[in-house]
Amino acid sequence: MRFRGILAGLVMALAALRPAGAADPQRGERLFMTPPVAGQLGCADCHSDNPQLNNFGNIWVGRNQVALIQRAVQSNTGGMGYFASYYDETDLADIAAWLGNAPARLVFAPTAPGSTAAAQRVTISSSTKAGVSGLGLRIEGEFVVVDSTCGNEVARFSSCTVELAFRPAAAGGDTREGALLIGHEGTPTPVRLPLRGQVLLKPPAVARVSPAAIDFGSVALGLESATRVVTVSNGSASELVLGPMASDTPAFAISGGSCHANLVLGEGQACHVALRLVPTAGGVASGRLVITHDGVGGGAAVALSGSAENSPGARLVAEPAAWDFGVGASGARLVSGVLTMANRGARGLRLSEVVSSDAAFSVERSSCVAGTSLLPGQACQLLLAWTPLRDGATSAELRVAAVGLATPLRVPLAGRAATLLVQASPSRLAFEERIGATQTLPVQLVNRGNAAAVLGALSLSGPESSDFAIGGDSACRTGTRLEAGSVCTLRLSFRPSAGGERRARLLAGVEGGAPAIGVELFGQGHARATPALWLDAGALRFRERTLVASTAPQSLHLTLANRGGAPLPAPALRLIGDAAAAFELASGCGADLAPGGSCRVELRFVPAALGTHRASLRIGGPLGRTLAAVSIEGRAVVASTALAALPSVAPTGLVWDQSHTDFGTTAMGEASVAAVLNLVNRGAGTTLPLVFAISGSAGAEFSIDAGSACAGAILAPGTGCALRLRFHPAAGGERRALLQATGAGVPTIELTGSGLAPARGALLAEPGAVVFQARGEGSAAATQRLLIANPGALEVTLSALGLQGSGFTLASSGPDTCPSGEAVLLPGEQCSVEIGWPGGAAASNGALLALTAAEPFASTSVPVSVSEDPAQRSNAGTGGGALAGWWAAALLLVVALCAGSARRQCRHG
């Protein structure tokens, strides 16, 4: 206890170093639900929008434990590291308070002076990793605690409750404010839950309730008593407003009457409450009828009593008799269907205990609680929750005890946890189409877990979701079962209803508690059809070659395609750069590209000197405008290090009708038309069954159609068969593989194809972070220059530059300055801005320079911060922050540098 007191003192001392004020759960809810910056992910995107009920991504770890949330941010758990650029300890404390205390505020009904409003409950929940210790409650204002289950500690995985009421001391007709302050060792400052109540202007009414007590006498089990009536009347000139009324014991049931909540009784008016005794167990029964109102005292209670005669034959059954959760995701929370507890005997029961033998299984919601009475034929229901912590099978039992049962009822529980992980490829999809026309693109859903996964609901949301649709021919549907490692294709269409940027989000659920799959959809609508240049690669790299004159030059191909809806004028191709002479343009595009058309450019590496040679292929459009630039690289060496020749198999009479198959260009995510290869047995003997295999670095991107005649065939002399193959590229550029047959002496065939992937522009800042060094008093303001470049293959539009945070300035000077408005950066082009720091503690929390691009996926950001020099550190200096916060500023910088780009995917721990 002495150590705990010292620890509590240290916590209070540390709390004194931060700004005063209690943790605010209402503000914590807003921070949790809203992304820190538009276009980025917020807490709710990865942890669901209802963390009070759903433990997605283990969010309950942070209940009332700001230190655990800070640790997750500092260690970049699940990609949370970038929050360090936006949220400080105060923000995280507010989020922890909202996660662990509900509701975030209480508003009481209007109450007369001297009366007490109906009580309302606050739940204080602990983290799933650490309990809450040193718990203390304090009330501000005219509010009182009427009941509490909270002690000094709340164990992990548990909670306690506090019931509060509004009790105004004087009249006034105004609003009274107050607060429940919750202090504990898991937060740097107490949690403040606002309380509000309205005082009635009118004099309080006087309620009269009669009789004050009712004795129902003796009733046999399974039967009901005669109805007794309680009268509520208004004995004053003021109106009396009734509130909720209920019996606190199930054996005494309200069976009718004219009294109800919100009923207004004028002077001399009355209403009635009808009651019956329905005994659930033998022996004496007692309870109260509680009636609330806005009159003097706030309510009244009628004492109820009676007794029941015993009868034999109690029997409790579970329907179903056991519950199997099936396969669920490790760490996820699964909720069962309805489990019914029914009394199938001849006498009543009263439940005394409902508990699970394993903490992984718990009761989510239930009407089967201790004290619940079940007459013969009556039943109650409950929902079970299962949170598996590791892969593998888990079993337990639900134990239900009841007064009158010789032995408790045991319900077997089971489940098998696995890694359920379904991902979308790609996770972001960009469309471009004219208004009224439709473009369709595929998305593959891949099961990367270790067990089969079943897809849940598929839905589209967002401001322009009506412009997007899920294709009816999609192989991915609600209920589709994906085995481990398998893939299904979802086809999405875009039909813009207006010009400009159109956005939506596809959400695909996965049964078993696995994280839902999100795909961001970006569309660009055009008033008329426009051309769109797509390249199958943004860079070409030749294999090493020697300078021997007899060495044949190696060729690489680049495919240019028009994915737009209007003709693209014939692109002008030109090699540029210091080493442009080391490369040769063997063929180009000599004609306009129609919509959907493409052409293939051949480039050769013809070096005249040793070393690495680099150049660029400039692709020009109308009026001399650069449409794209593709980087080219090759290396000339003394000795040849070229790749070995393709393996060969000596022919034994089996002959293909071709030795090489080129599938041409195919868009990523789509399949080519089938290529048919014919195999003939020219020998004198019959072959063994033919078994084929495709190998090589891109072997998985070529496949043999099911039902091909050659697969498993036995060829007699002079007979032949056909083999159908397809190409489905997973990456852009040239793709190669080998088709071989096992043990049949069939010659090897080279398979080639070119994957068509969109080339894009990008924004790159150099340096990747701006760090100022703290200075002494009177030092001049400091500035640093930041270069912003486009390293991509297409142009990019820099639409906005903005500093998010205080204490720094953004300026521009010099000939290469970035324009203040919208700027178009061609491939390889750059501009610069200046970041200034005039000094002062306002910069101690750092800032973020946001570089916003008009094109999808091209935006980025640069952290800006101050690093304090230990030799100059003081509590009165102008830089780096005060002594209490220097370590937090340094940690913020490290986390911001590690977080990288603001584009992230959620990973649940």
Side-chain angles (χ1 to χ4, degrees):
M1 295 301 292
R2 181 179 182 183
F3 173 76
R4 178 171 293 171
I6 296 174
L7 179 61
L10 290 174
V11 171
M12 295 177 64
L14 290 173
L17 297 178
R18 54 172 277 154
D24 184 352
Q26 295 182 91
R27 181 172 178 269
E29 180 179 11
R30 293 193 299 271
L31 292 173
F32 187 92
M33 293 298 182
T34 307
V37 176
Q40 292 190 0
L41 295 174
C43 300
D45 291 313
C46 294
H47 295 288
S48 89
D49 57 359
N50 193 356
Q52 303 291 350
L53 297 178
N54 299 317
N55 190 26
F56 288 129
N58 290 335
I59 188 62
W60 289 352
V61 167
R63 284 177 164 175
N64 278 312
Q65 289 291 338
V66 63
L68 296 179
I69 302 180
Q70 286 178 311
R71 189 182 308 162
V73 172
Q74 293 165 6
S75 60
N76 197 25
T77 300
M80 292 173 60
Y82 80 101
F83 283 128
S85 302
Y86 307 103
Y87 296 156
D88 57 15
E89 184 186 22
T90 301
D91 300 327
L92 299 182
D94 292 346
I95 293 174
W98 180 66
L99 292 173
N101 305 290
R105 64 176 297 161
L106 294 180
V107 177
F108 293 88
T111 305
S115 301
T116 302
Q120 297 190 49
R121 178 175 296 176
V122 173
T123 300
I124 303 173
S125 300
S126 69
S127 165
T128 56
K129 282 193 175 179
V132 174
S133 57
L135 182 63
L137 306 177
R138 184 164 63 87
I139 294 291
E140 293 180 351
E142 299 174 66
F143 302 87
V144 294
V145 175
V146 297
D147 194 11
S148 174
T149 63
C150 297
N152 187 57
E153 297 180 351
V154 182
R156 59 186 292 235
F157 288 106
S158 63
S159 60
C160 66
T161 59
V162 182
E163 290 193 2
L164 304 169
F166 175 43
R167 186 179 291 168
D174 55 351
T175 299
R176 308 292 168 85
E177 304 282 352
L180 169 64
L181 294 177
I182 306 170
H184 57 81
E185 295 174 359
T187 186
T189 60
V191 178
R192 187 178 191 276
L193 269 67
L195 308 176
R196 172 180 288 185
Q198 180 74 34
V199 183
L200 290 173
L201 286 170
K202 67 181 181 66
V206 177
R208 294 174 178 170
V209 179
S210 63
I214 296 177
D215 185 355
F216 288 86
S218 179
V219 180
L221 280 172
L223 300 178
E224 298 179 353
S225 71
T227 300
R228 303 290 297 273
V229 175
V230 174
T231 300
V232 181
S233 61
N234 182 2
S236 64
S238 297
E239 289 184 340
L240 176 68
V241 181
L242 299 186
M245 56 198 70
S247 166
D248 64 359
T249 304
F252 300 97
I254 297 177
S255 58
S258 56
C259 295
H260 57 81
N262 300 318
L263 177 66
V264 179
L265 296 178
E267 181 179 3
Q269 291 183 332
C271 66
H272 308 282
V273 181
L275 295 166
R276 287 183 294 181
L277 170 60
V278 185
T280 57
V284 176
S286 62
R288 295 185 310 158
L289 171 65
V290 179
I291 301 172
T292 60
H293 53 71
D294 67 345
V296 175
V302 178
L304 308 174
S305 60
S307 61
E309 299 175 354
N310 289 318
S311 60
R315 187 168 70 94
L316 182 66
V317 297
E319 300 171 351
W323 192 272
D324 188 347
F325 283 85
V327 178
S330 297
R333 187 175 181 84
L334 279 73
V335 178
S336 70
V338 175
L339 186 66
T340 300
M341 298 293 168
N343 182 357
R344 301 303 183 199
R347 56 166 291 186
L349 299 169
R350 186 174 74 252
L351 302 182
S352 58
E353 181 183 50
V354 181
V355 64
S356 167
S357 63
D358 189 327
F361 297 90
S362 60
V363 177
E364 178 77 5
R365 293 190 298 276
S366 175
S367 60
C368 304
V369 297
T372 298
S373 297
L374 299 177
L375 293 177
Q378 287 186 335
C380 61
Q381 288 80 34
L382 55 80
L383 298 180
L384 296 172
W386 175 45
T387 309
L389 301 179
R390 62 187 64 86
D391 286 0
T394 308
S395 61
E397 65 178 19
L398 182 69
R399 182 178 182 272
V400 184
V403 176
L405 285 181
T407 58
L409 173 66
R410 288 178 164 83
V411 182
L413 308 175
R416 185 172 70 86
T419 301
L420 293 181
L421 178 61
V422 180
Q423 294 180 330
S425 177
S427 61
R428 295 171 182 258
L429 207 58
F431 297 82
E432 190 168 1
E433 189 55 86
R434 65 181 174 85
I435 298 173
T438 301
Q439 181 186 12
T440 301
L441 294 177
V443 171
Q444 290 188 326
L445 302 185
V446 186
N447 183 359
R448 304 196 185 280
N450 57 13
V454 178
L455 297 182
L458 303 174
S459 61
L460 290 167
S461 61
E464 292 88 30
S465 59
S466 60
D467 286 5
F468 299 84
I470 300 172
D473 57 345
S474 297
C476 301
R477 300 172 181 271
T478 300
T480 297
R481 178 182 175 88
L482 285 179
E483 300 296 335
S486 63
V487 178
C488 69
T489 300
L490 190 66
R491 302 189 65 82
L492 298 170
S493 62
F494 171 58
R495 185 180 179 88
S497 59
E501 186 178 77
R502 320 292 290 167
R503 292 193 174 208
R505 188 167 191 256
L506 168 71
L507 194 65
V510 181
E511 295 182 6
I517 313 157
V519 180
E520 302 299 327
L521 306 178
F522 300 86
Q524 186 71 31
H526 297 286
R528 61 180 182 275
T530 59
L533 175 65
W534 286 68
L535 308 177
D536 65 348
L540 297 175
R541 178 174 294 176
F542 288 85
R543 295 198 294 265
E544 292 181 349
R545 61 160 294 174
T546 65
L547 293 181
V548 179
S550 61
T551 304
Q554 178 195 355
S555 294
L556 289 180
H557 295 87
L558 176 71
T559 300
L560 285 65
N562 181 4
R563 301 299 293 272
L568 176 67
L573 307 177
R574 185 163 65 94
L575 289 167
I576 60 175
D578 294 339
F583 302 92
E584 180 181 273
L585 185 60
S587 66
C589 298
D592 294 353
L593 296 181
S598 64
C599 66
R600 203 174 193 197
V601 177
E602 181 181 357
L603 292 152
R604 294 175 182 168
F605 181 38
V606 289
L610 296 174
T612 301
H613 305 270
R614 296 184 178 90
S616 295
L617 175 65
R618 178 186 178 276
I619 304 173
L623 304 178
R625 181 185 179 194
T626 298
L627 299 179
V630 178
S631 61
I632 308 170
E633 180 179 320
R635 179 176 174 79
V637 296
V638 176
S640 174
T641 57
L643 296 177
L646 291 172
S648 61
V649 179
T652 59
L654 292 171
V655 180
W656 288 108
D657 62 348
Q658 53 189 293
S659 61
H660 169 258
T661 298
D662 187 357
F663 288 84
T665 299
T666 303
M668 285 175 54
E670 299 181 0
S672 69
V673 296
V676 180
L677 285 72
N678 295 297
L679 182 64
V680 179
N681 183 3
R682 303 291 189 190
T686 300
T687 68
L688 295 173
L690 299 176
V691 180
F692 298 93
I694 300 176
S695 61
S697 58
E701 300 174 33
F702 299 85
S703 61
I704 300 172
D705 278 6
S708 287
C710 277
I714 300 175
L715 297 183
T719 62
C721 62
L723 194 69
R724 295 170 61 88
L725 297 102
R726 294 183 190 271
F727 172 48
H728 36 87
E734 192 173 46
R735 317 299 291 165
R736 292 178 176 269
L738 297 175
L739 172 66
Q740 297 170 307
T742 304
V746 182
T748 299
I749 291 185
E750 183 184 15
L751 307 177
T752 59
S754 183
L756 180 63
R760 297 190 177 96
L763 290 178
L764 176 67
E766 182 64 36
V770 176
V771 182
F772 290 93
Q773 183 65 46
R775 313 177 308 279
E777 294 282 355
S779 300
T783 61
Q784 292 192 40
R785 182 173 293 273
L786 186 76
L787 289 178
I788 302 170
N790 175 13
L794 298 179
E795 68 179 30
V796 66
T797 302
L798 178 62
S799 58
L801 274 168
L803 272 173
Q804 300 166 3
S806 58
F808 301 95
T809 61
L810 184 63
S812 301
S813 63
D816 63 342
T817 297
C818 296
S820 57
E822 189 174 273
V824 176
L825 296 181
L826 297 177
E829 192 175 2
Q830 65 182 26
C831 63
S832 68
V833 296
E834 287 188 351
I835 309 296
W837 177 52
S844 61
N845 289 328
L848 197 72
L849 175 64
L851 310 177
T852 305
E855 294 77 11
F857 324 122
S859 300
T860 186
S861 59
V862 180
V864 184
S865 58
V866 175
S867 177
E868 188 167 341
D869 185 347
Q872 299 182 7
R873 187 170 68 235
S874 72
N875 201 34
T878 61
L883 277 175
W886 73 269
W887 57 270
L891 178 61
L892 176 62
L893 171 61
V894 173
V895 174
L897 290 174
C898 294
S901 169
R903 294 174 292 152
R904 290 171 177 84
Q905 295 180 348
C906 302
R907 302 184 303 275
H908 296 93

